[in-house]
Amino acid sequence: MATATAAQQRAHSKVEYDAFLAACPSRDLLNRISGKWVALIFAALGSDGPRQPGDVCAGEPRPMRYSELSRTLTGVSQKMLTQTLRSLERDGLVSRAVVPTVPVTVTYELTDLGISLHHMVRGLKSWAETHMDDVIANRATYDTRTD
């Protein structure tokens, strides 16, 4: 029996991932990255400067301070933002840098792996913004139906 290299073992393992199976680890990852704060964090870290309402989150990804992320993502609690950033850091999608200043400066940035996901998330955000009027109209039609 031949011994497989680490690369061969990883390639073999990838073939076995199937998110439709309850025990598949990719299901947990899909659950994490489909959270509403994750998409918005990716969109914010993927913009290349301060934004105004209605601006497209386009450009090159850039680091952001925790406080800037918090201000950008209106409605997110400090606890939820911290938990989400920690889980993204654990998954290798976001990196965290701490600068020992007074007060301490903490910045977050997409990793190469995170940047690869960012492009898809940005498209999803753009689609939602572009088609929101259609969705609102469909909801109103649905809610007035009598079945």
Side-chain angles (χ1 to χ4, degrees):
M1 181 163 137
T3 305
T5 66
Q8 290 169 329
Q9 289 174 350
R10 284 191 304 273
H12 178 71
S13 294
K14 283 185 177 183
V15 173
E16 296 176 8
Y17 292 141
D18 182 351
F20 290 116
L21 300 175
C24 183
S26 64
R27 184 178 279 195
D28 180 53
L29 179 59
L30 284 171
N31 185 45
R32 178 169 348 281
I33 63 176
S34 65
K36 81 172 178 181
W37 297 118
V38 171
L40 294 173
I41 288 169
F42 269 74
L45 289 172
S47 62
D48 60 2
R51 56 177 301 281
Q52 298 298 319
D55 282 355
V56 177
C57 289
E60 293 301 313
R62 68 179 181 92
M64 290 179 77
R65 292 180 61 177
Y66 180 90
S67 58
E68 186 180 8
L69 270 171
S70 182
R71 281 191 308 275
T72 301
L73 305 173
T74 58
V76 66
S77 69
Q78 182 177 356
K79 178 182 177 183
M80 182 54 64
L81 181 56
T82 299
Q83 286 177 345
T84 305
L85 287 167
R86 283 183 183 159
S87 69
L88 293 173
E89 183 182 8
R90 180 174 183 247
D91 290 339
L93 300 170
V94 170
S95 64
R96 178 178 183 261
V98 179
V99 180
T101 56
V102 179
V104 172
T105 303
V106 179
T107 58
Y108 293 88
E109 185 172 12
L110 296 175
T111 63
D112 289 342
L113 185 61
I115 289 170
S116 70
L117 177 59
H118 164 261
H119 297 292
M120 287 185 270
V121 171
R122 183 172 64 188
L124 185 60
K125 176 187 172 289
S126 177
W127 181 91
E129 293 168 344
T130 300
H131 296 286
M132 197 61 232
D133 287 339
D134 296 328
V135 171
I136 290 169
N138 288 328
R139 287 177 181 172
T141 300
Y142 180 90
D143 291 345
T144 58
R145 284 192 332 204
T146 55
D147 289 338

